């Protein structure tokens, strides 16, 4: 294969990768093959277990209409629930580690990323042509193709199709696009019963909570939380938190709903212009059940999902599951070009702000996103905050750069929930410069008066102080004044914010300026 | 103006005016191993699938038949294996809900990932891949390609409406990363190497 | 070569020893080092918050102070990264471009420009964990990034390994952000502190006695967490180790 053959494993491969040793669990009942513990799908590479005492599940950000969402407040509540926070952090860090091991096993890894990015950028800069080609081929295969400007129209169209078929029950597989569209609340109001078939999505649906991660929707929940949800809705034993029992309970409860559903809905990972078909990747096979059991299949497709040809699909399928979960491929990779025998298929192509984002100089490349979640897994802020703290459809690094384009004011604080460390951009399989876009959004917020008054005042004061040498030196001249008069901008924010969980820096005898003046000549 | 026209119009107006050529994708097959079957087997097992190894002298078909002998409902889409639920009797996909074991033949397989490709042709009824509790997949070792780049050159993706890679059984680890087999689809997937009969060529 | 010493604002205020060690270290190599007295800051605190207009005057002052030097060297990866990559609140004249291109962080200056082979005066007989500031790592390329499939390298460790007696140990999460993040440390204090405490925990579990880094901003934050938790981890800047500090 092309690429560097040299060993790229870190020289001092840390045997110890677990930060919270108290979570390490003895060898568990996970399936084993050839003496190796299996860790495909989203399986953890080593067993971890929360402490036995149950802790209430921390809930997400407080949403009040169009008010600015306060991510840090919700994050602090997550952090204050240590059993949840540590499991969440350790589990997602493990997925990051699994991703790294896949990367090291593929010599052409960086070349694949470059190809994936280039294919997406080419497609997006020619998007109209590829959309037209896709639609033409889909129609030729017997698919009904609809176009929706926004989420509301998507929901109306789907409702119309269901109504035309007299369908009142709908099973669906995971689709972040449908979350964006507010699909479930709309259908509930319209009297259509929607059943999520993905285990994580189903848990969240039953608990009346949004998914917290694009790939593992209930990653913020501990088994005890799931046991409580299932006890309330499936009639299982609230004290039985054995994961195998819980999964089996959901399988048994959902199976009849699948068999009797009148319609099925899937999302779409990739839409191939060349064939007019879609590719859907799942580990459970629930997209295949949703598409093939009922007579009616509806696929919701974001217009940015188009790629030109099958040969390009190979690049993305090789990168997607490796980046997301650290396994070479999902258990099911389904290629659907048209209705099954005896069935009918509809596609809804959705814009919902994507065409507008295409015009944005600094942000259009966020449309390359293939929703793998690798950025979330590596983000040190996300892992400690939980996805629900962002109060938006998309969380983590990609959320910070997409959500403000849906509602700039409501999500104006999100770009500040980042330390700008840049790990996200490095794990992104399509090379979105996420951390640079986060910084660029900060500038947009500042220029559009979306900073909190405190922040704005602090920055103004800092800008004046730091531009005037005499003022500046006066502020830091002596040890006492250095610490008693923290740089002026620090005074303007919540007092002693630094000191809540940290000691303040020690006072030096004198500043460098003073030392230099005393010991060296100043012209 | 229809939504279609509005959307396409907006896209056209907003296309970034940047040079972004479509790259050539290599086949990445220079380091293909000598035995694709061995790599396929290892990849399959890493993904939770089973591989039926017949010892010399043993007939894999016999082994399958022995396993099926004690099974209540078997539905086979292959001429080599006889089930007791005829595909021709299926009127709706859900009619396969009580099948214990489904038997299908893979159109081809991918060594890199351990995947078998099933098509509407090999499944007969698409839900045969999902509703049975277990799936047995016959695979001709000559039908194994080295990686996904080769896989997507195959004709199966231009024929029929449905082609799917199965890589091991249905699985999830949505709860605390604990791996579960049989999340919503089949609980086990077993691949059995059996050469295609002369009168049963690939498509 | 004429070198202008750039001492970041927080080093000036809280870690003058780092500035002193940097100055002395450069002078050991026979370099003529000048410290423009009217310097203040690189402007990052403002641009970090998206306030580019508020940063302009500070950036202009920086250029004014440093335009006469061949090299500008400073002991901070994050500040140098800002100057080289994000210093665009002011008009990009030739002088501005020159100053930006010639601004170096200390480790990269020693490693790439001076190509130092030995530090004969230095001895540090301790077990240390090295902390890479994220801007130093991913912004100016101090070392290979764990997320990328590249051949491993580390400029700071190359230099540290030339110090007698030093033993480097590995962390469980070698390049996870410690949570300082500039204004993030105050505006998202709860998350920042948690990240800092986790970093300290990792450092304690590694068996290190000292943490060495090229950025004292991160260390200020980590040390604050360690002290609040009553943990005995010690923090020292790489300039001080290379300059011959024994503890």
């Amino acid at each position: 294969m092309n690429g560097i053959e040299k060993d790229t494993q870190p020289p001092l491969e840390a045997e110890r990768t677990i930060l919270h040793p108290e979570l390490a669990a003895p060898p568990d009942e996970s399936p084993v093959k050839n003496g190796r513990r299996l860790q495909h799908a989203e399986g953890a590479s080593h067993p971890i277990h929360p402490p036995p005492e149950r802790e209430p599940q921390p809930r997400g950000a407080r949403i009040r209409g169009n008010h600015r969402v306060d991510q840090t407040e919700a994050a602090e509540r997550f952090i204050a629930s240590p059993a949840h926070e540590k499991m969440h952090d350790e589990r997602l860090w493990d997925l990051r580690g699994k991703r790294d091991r896949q990367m090291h096993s593929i010599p052409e890894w960086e070349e694949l990323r470059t190809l994936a990015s280039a294919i997406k950028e080419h497609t997006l800069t020619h998007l109209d042509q590829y959309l037209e080609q896709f639609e033409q081929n889909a129609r030729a295969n017997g698919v009904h193709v609809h176009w929706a400007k926004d989420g509301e129209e998507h929901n109306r169209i789907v409702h119309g199709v269901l109504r035309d078929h007299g369908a009142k029950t709908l099973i669906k597989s995971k689709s972040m696009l449908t979350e964006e569209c507010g699909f479930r609340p709309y259908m509930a109001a319209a009297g259509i019963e929607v059943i999520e078939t993905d285990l994580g999505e189903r848990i969240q649906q039953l608990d009346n909570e949004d998914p917290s991660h694009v790939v593992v929707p209930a990653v913020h929940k501990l088994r005890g939380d799931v046991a409580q949800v299932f006890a309330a809705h499936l009639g299982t034993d609230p004290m039985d938190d054995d994961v195998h029992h819980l999964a089996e309970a959901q399988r048994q409860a959902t199976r009849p709903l699948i068999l009797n559903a009148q319609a099925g809905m899937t999302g779409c990972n990739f839409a191939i212009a060349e064939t007019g078909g879609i590719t859907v990747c799942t580990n459970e096979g629930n997209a295949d059940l949703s598409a093939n059991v009922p007579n009616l299949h509806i696929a919701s497709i974001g217009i940015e999902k188009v790629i030109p040809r099958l040969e390009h699909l190979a690049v993305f399928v090789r990168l997607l599951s490796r980046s997301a979960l650290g396994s070479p491929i999902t258990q099911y990779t389904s290629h659907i070009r048209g209705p099954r025998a005896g069935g009918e298929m509809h596609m809804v192509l959705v814009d919902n702000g994507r065409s507008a984002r295409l015009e944005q100089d600094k942000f259009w490349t966020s449309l390359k996103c293939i929703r793998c979640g690798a950025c979330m897994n590596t983000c040190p802020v996300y892992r400690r905050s939980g996805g629900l703290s962002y109060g938006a459809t998309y969380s983590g690094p990609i959320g910070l750069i997409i959500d403000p384009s849906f509602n700039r004011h409501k999500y104006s604080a999100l770009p500040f929930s980042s330390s700008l460390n840049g790990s996200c951009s490095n794990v992104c399989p399509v090379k979105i410069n996420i951390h640079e876009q986060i910084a660029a959004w900060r500038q947009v917020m500042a220029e559009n008066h979306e900073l909190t008054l405190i922040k704005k005042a602090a920055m103004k004061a800092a800008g004046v102080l730091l531009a005037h040498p005499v003022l500046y030196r006066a502020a830091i001249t002596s040890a006492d004044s250095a610490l008693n008069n923290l740089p002026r901008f620090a005074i303007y924010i919540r007092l002693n914010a630094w000191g809540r969980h940290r000691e303040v820096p020690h006072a030096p005898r004198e500043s460098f300026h003073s030392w230099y003046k005393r010991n060296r000549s100043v012209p | 103006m229809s939504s279609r026209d509005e959307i396409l119009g907006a896209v056209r107006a907003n296309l970034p005016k940047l040079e972004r050529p479509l790259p050539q994708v290599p086949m990445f097959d220079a380091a293909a191993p000598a035995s694709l079957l061995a790599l396929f087997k290892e990849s399959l097992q890493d993904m939770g699938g089973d591989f039926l190894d017949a010892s010399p002298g043993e007939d894999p078909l016999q082994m399958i038949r022995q396993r099926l002998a004690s099974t209540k409902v078997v539905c086979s889409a292959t001429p080599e294996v006889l089930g007791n639920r005829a595909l021709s009797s299926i009127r709706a996909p859900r009619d396969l809900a009580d099948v214990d074991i489904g038997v299908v033949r893979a159109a081809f397989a991918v060594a890199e990932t351990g995947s078998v490709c099933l098509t509407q042709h090999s499944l007969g009824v698409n839900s045969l891949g999902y509703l049975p509790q277990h799936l047995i997949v016959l695979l001709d070792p000559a039908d194994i390609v080295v990686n996904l780049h080769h896989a997507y050159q195959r004709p199966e993706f231009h024929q029929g409406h449905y082609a799917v890679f199965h890589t091991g059984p249905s699985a999830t680890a949505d709860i605390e990363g604990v791996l579960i087999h049989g999340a919503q689809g089949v609980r086990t997937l077993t691949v059995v190497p059996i050469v295609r009969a002369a009168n049963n060529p690939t498509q | 070569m004429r070198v202008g010493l750039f001492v970041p604002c927080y080093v000036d205020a809280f870690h003058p020893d780092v500035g002193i060690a940097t100055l002395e270290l450069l002078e050991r190599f026979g370099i003529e080092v000048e410290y423009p007295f009217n310097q203040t800051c690189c402007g990052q605190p403002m641009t970090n918050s998206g306030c580019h207009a508020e940063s302009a005057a500070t950036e202009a002052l920086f250029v004014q102070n440093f335009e006469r030097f061949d090299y500008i060297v400073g002991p901070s990866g994050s500040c140098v990264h800002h100057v080289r990559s994000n210093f665009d609140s002011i008009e990009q004249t030739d002088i501005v471009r020159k100053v930006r291109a010639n601004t170096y962080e200390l480790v990269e200056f020693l490693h790439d420009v001076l190509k130092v082979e030995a530090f004969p005066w230095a001895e540090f007989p301790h077990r240390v964990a090295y902390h890479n500031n994220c801007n130093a790592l991913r912004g100016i390329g101090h070392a290979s990034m764990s997320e990328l499939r590249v051949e491993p390298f580390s400029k700071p460790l190359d230099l540290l390994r030339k110090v007698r007696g030093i033993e480097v140990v590995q962390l469980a999460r070698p390049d996870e952000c410690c949570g300082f993040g500039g204004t993030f440390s105050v505006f998202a204090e709860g998350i920042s502190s948690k990240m800092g405490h986790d970093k300290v925990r990792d450092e304690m579990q590694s068996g290190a006695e000292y943490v060495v880094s090229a950025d004292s901003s991160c260390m200020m934050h980590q040390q604050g967490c360690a002290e609040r938790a009553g943990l005995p981890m010690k923090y020292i800047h790489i300039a001080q180790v290379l300059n011959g500090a024994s503890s």
Side-chain angles (χ1 to χ4, degrees), chain A residues 57-63 69 74 204 209-213 217 220-221 382 385-392 395:
Chain A
Q57 182 200 323
R59 296 291 167 176
R62 303 204 159 109
I63 315 284
V69 172
Q204 289 309 95
E209 226 182 28
D210 289 338
S212 74
H213 185 289
H220 60 291
K221 278 188 157 66
Y382 177 89
S385 306
L388 297 175
S389 66
Y390 296 78
S395 48

Side-chain angles (χ1 to χ4, degrees), chain A residues 67-85:
Chain A
H67 282 253
R68 175 186 287 127
V69 172
D70 188 347
Q71 190 272 342
T72 54
E73 182 278 327
E76 284 167 9
R77 280 186 287 110
F78 196 77
I79 289 166
S81 310
H84 284 81
E85 187 271 331

